[in-house]
Amino acid sequence: MQMRSDAIKKGLARAPHRSLLKADGLTDEELDRPLVAVVSAQNEVIPGHIHLQQIADAVKAGVRMAGGTPLQVNTIGVCDGIAMNHEGMRYSLTSREVIADSVECVIQGHQFDAMVLIPSCDKIVPGMLIAAARLNIPTMLVSGGPMLAGRDRCGRQTDLNTLFDAVGQVTAGTMTEEECAWLENTACPTCGSCSGMFTANSICCLAEALGLALPGNGTVPAVYSERIRLAKRTGMQVMDLVRKGISALDILNEAAIHNGMVLDMAFGGSTNTMLHLTAIAHAAGCPITMDDWDAVSSETPNIVRIAPAGPLHIEDLNSVGGIPAIIGVLGRAGLLREDACTCHGCMADWIAACPPADGEIVREVDNAYSPIGGLKVMHGNLAPDRAVVKRSAVASDMMRHSGPARVFNSEEEACEAIFGGKINAGDVVVIRYEGPAGGPGMREMLTPTSAICGMGLDHSVALITDGRFSGASKGPCIGHVSPEAAAGGPIALVQEGDIIDIDIEAGTLELRVDASELERRRAAWKAPAPKYATGVLSRYAKLVTSADKGAYLS
């Protein structure tokens, strides 16, 4: 059969190209087969990626078993946990676009016939999926799998967020430094993506609903041998896509995006997934809006609550059937597009084969935690282009809140006030100029949100930002406020002491200041000078779109 890679290996004019490939040790027999890029993000910094060479080797074994020639290439990654609360976090969301570009460059530069993507963590997974949509060749994804949860001295499960909360508890005097040190050494016990339904695991789970990953991708723990077998099956399956001529956009289409949105609402994933799936949908040519998210949320029950929305972790979801158990419930309720195609067959057949729900970790629709989704779109005069909150991780007594604004123009300013005991019960912390362009890079706010929780203020203090949150964030934390402050959005006009009204059930976010006063403030407002004059952040700030559009580069 004719292959894309013929452009670099067929005919007399390609003798120099073949010579270079043979310098890699390839034989004529290997060159006659489809060339499959095994795109790994392995590195020795990110715990979700440190073991990815083992996954890549398994993928390559599967490709060879199925008659292809695998060739490994690598891309970068940034660990959000390590990048948190300092300048490094400006580079996290930025890296998503760099990753997409790098995958596009290496695949197009060498004209691969197919690719298997091997990410694990927050921006790497969506970056690779954006590249898959751009390239539109036979593609599959297999992640490195989730980390196991830790255990505290009472046997309760712990995770990375336990440590961020512990910092606030030590500051408040409710935990000793020795207790915190014990958690530091036990909360992240294995390799893998952090163990809750945080951003990395959320998007790895969504890859199953999007159809580009095999069942189990999002939930089989990193340290299980089943993860290696899954990687081998992925290598074999991508060759089946090659033989059938099924490319990424045959799978990643409007139906798949809808199914991803539904699954996201059902398990209440990270608010970051709304940012990423919106950008992926744009790349796939089937754009979605915040109104689309709002519509899906209104009709999708929240049937799973994994940390930070509950005490359980991804390994617990895996033990009762993983994502297929959720897909089965949603499919039987008629909430999924059964005409969607997946890398392993049609959605209707998958639904029919899915295991039943256990009723506790994965609930049935008639026993849902909530009749609406775990993520909620917010709107109002403070966020005309919308904002988002992880509704399922908000305590019932904070679904409605009104209080005075405590205004900070950076995350650092806010953290100094929180740790300094300057935030009081009833306050609404406003952190602005941290949006996609204004940050730049739309930093995650896990440190301030966890400090608020750790200091016992999560039942009395809300936080609003044009930045974003870690998937580990919990409580009344409203992010992605659009337009952002740097673009002159209303959040830039908030003044200390202004009353802000929040109604998460109704999805409203209102600044209690009349329109004429806001116009007076707007006339006096001046756009801030760019924070970076050179380098990647300078370019990013000039090109990035707003959060409600997915923060892709224009």
Side-chain angles (χ1 to χ4, degrees), residues 64-76:
R64 290 190 187 100
M65 283 190 284
T69 297
L71 295 169
Q72 184 173 335
V73 297
N74 288 68
T75 189
I76 65 162

Side-chain angles (χ1 to χ4, degrees), residues 244-293:
K244 292 177 179 176
I246 298 175
S247 295
L249 294 185
D250 295 322
I251 297 172
L252 191 58
N253 54 26
E254 183 182 355
I257 297 296
H258 172 83
N259 290 343
M261 295 168 74
V262 171
L263 177 64
D264 203 3
M265 291 300 170
F267 64 47
S270 164
T271 51
N272 282 318
T273 56
M274 297 175 72
L275 193 73
H276 296 321
L277 194 51
T278 300
I280 292 165
H282 169 77
C286 42
I288 53 178
T289 67
M290 295 302 286
D291 288 341
D292 295 324
W293 278 107

Side-chain angles (χ1 to χ4, degrees), residues 278-401:
T278 300
I280 292 165
H282 169 77
C286 42
I288 53 178
T289 67
M290 295 302 286
D291 288 341
D292 295 324
W293 278 107
D294 201 20
V296 170
S297 177
S298 69
E299 61 189 24
T300 305
N302 178 213
I303 58 174
V304 175
R305 289 196 173 173
I306 300 295
L312 300 178
H313 290 76
I314 297 293
E315 64 198 74
D316 301 299
L317 176 58
N318 186 67
S319 71
V320 296
I323 296 306
I326 306 175
I327 291 290
V329 172
L330 299 173
R332 290 189 292 273
L335 295 171
L336 296 175
R337 288 277 299 270
E338 294 193 7
D339 58 330
C341 172
T342 78
C343 61
H344 53 92
C346 70
M347 178 60 74
D349 290 342
W350 185 19
I351 292 169
C354 284
D358 70 302
E360 295 183 12
I361 296 175
V362 179
R363 296 188 174 188
E364 294 286 355
V365 169
D366 60 4
N367 187 37
Y369 286 102
S370 168
I372 63 174
L375 304 177
K376 181 66 177 176
V377 175
M378 306 289 288
H379 60 88
N381 71 347
L382 192 51
D385 291 342
R386 310 298 189 262
V388 299
V389 64
K390 189 164 185 170
R391 178 184 173 278
S392 60
V394 179
S396 59
D397 58 355
M398 286 299 289
M399 287 292 179
R400 292 181 179 84
H401 180 76

Side-chain angles (χ1 to χ4, degrees), residues 498-509:
D498 286 347
I499 301 300
I500 295 175
D501 298 319
I502 300 167
D503 189 333
I504 293 174
E505 294 287 7
T508 56
L509 181 61

Side-chain angles (χ1 to χ4, degrees), residues 311-529:
L312 300 178
H313 290 76
I314 297 293
E315 64 198 74
D316 301 299
L317 176 58
N318 186 67
S319 71
V320 296
I323 296 306
I326 306 175
I327 291 290
V329 172
L330 299 173
R332 290 189 292 273
L335 295 171
L336 296 175
R337 288 277 299 270
E338 294 193 7
D339 58 330
C341 172
T342 78
C343 61
H344 53 92
C346 70
M347 178 60 74
D349 290 342
W350 185 19
I351 292 169
C354 284
D358 70 302
E360 295 183 12
I361 296 175
V362 179
R363 296 188 174 188
E364 294 286 355
V365 169
D366 60 4
N367 187 37
Y369 286 102
S370 168
I372 63 174
L375 304 177
K376 181 66 177 176
V377 175
M378 306 289 288
H379 60 88
N381 71 347
L382 192 51
D385 291 342
R386 310 298 189 262
V388 299
V389 64
K390 189 164 185 170
R391 178 184 173 278
S392 60
V394 179
S396 59
D397 58 355
M398 286 299 289
M399 287 292 179
R400 292 181 179 84
H401 180 76
S402 295
R406 304 297 308 281
V407 182
F408 304 97
N409 290 332
S410 71
E411 179 189 4
E412 287 84 357
E413 288 181 16
C415 286
E416 183 180 355
I418 295 167
F419 286 119
K422 297 178 181 178
I423 301 303
N424 304 308
D427 286 347
V428 178
V429 174
V430 177
I431 306 177
R432 63 190 181 190
Y433 296 105
E434 292 286 7
M442 202 180 182
R443 289 194 289 180
E444 289 185 347
M445 303 292 161
L446 181 55
T447 296
T449 60
S450 293
I452 287 170
C453 289
M455 296 173 76
L457 295 171
D458 54 316
H459 287 267
S460 60
V461 171
L463 190 151
I464 297 171
T465 182
D466 55 4
R468 59 195 177 90
F469 297 112
S470 165
S473 292
K474 58 185 180 291
C477 307
I478 299 168
H480 305 196
V481 171
S482 300
E484 63 176 291
I491 192 172
L493 310 179
V494 181
Q495 294 183 358
E496 189 82 4
D498 286 347
I499 301 300
I500 295 175
D501 298 319
I502 300 167
D503 189 333
I504 293 174
E505 294 287 7
T508 56
L509 181 61
E510 294 286 340
L511 178 63
R512 208 186 295 176
V513 175
D514 64 48
S516 61
E517 171 61 14
L518 285 179
E519 283 306 310
R520 186 191 67 78
R521 294 180 188 181
R522 185 178 302 282
W525 177 81
K526 294 182 179 179

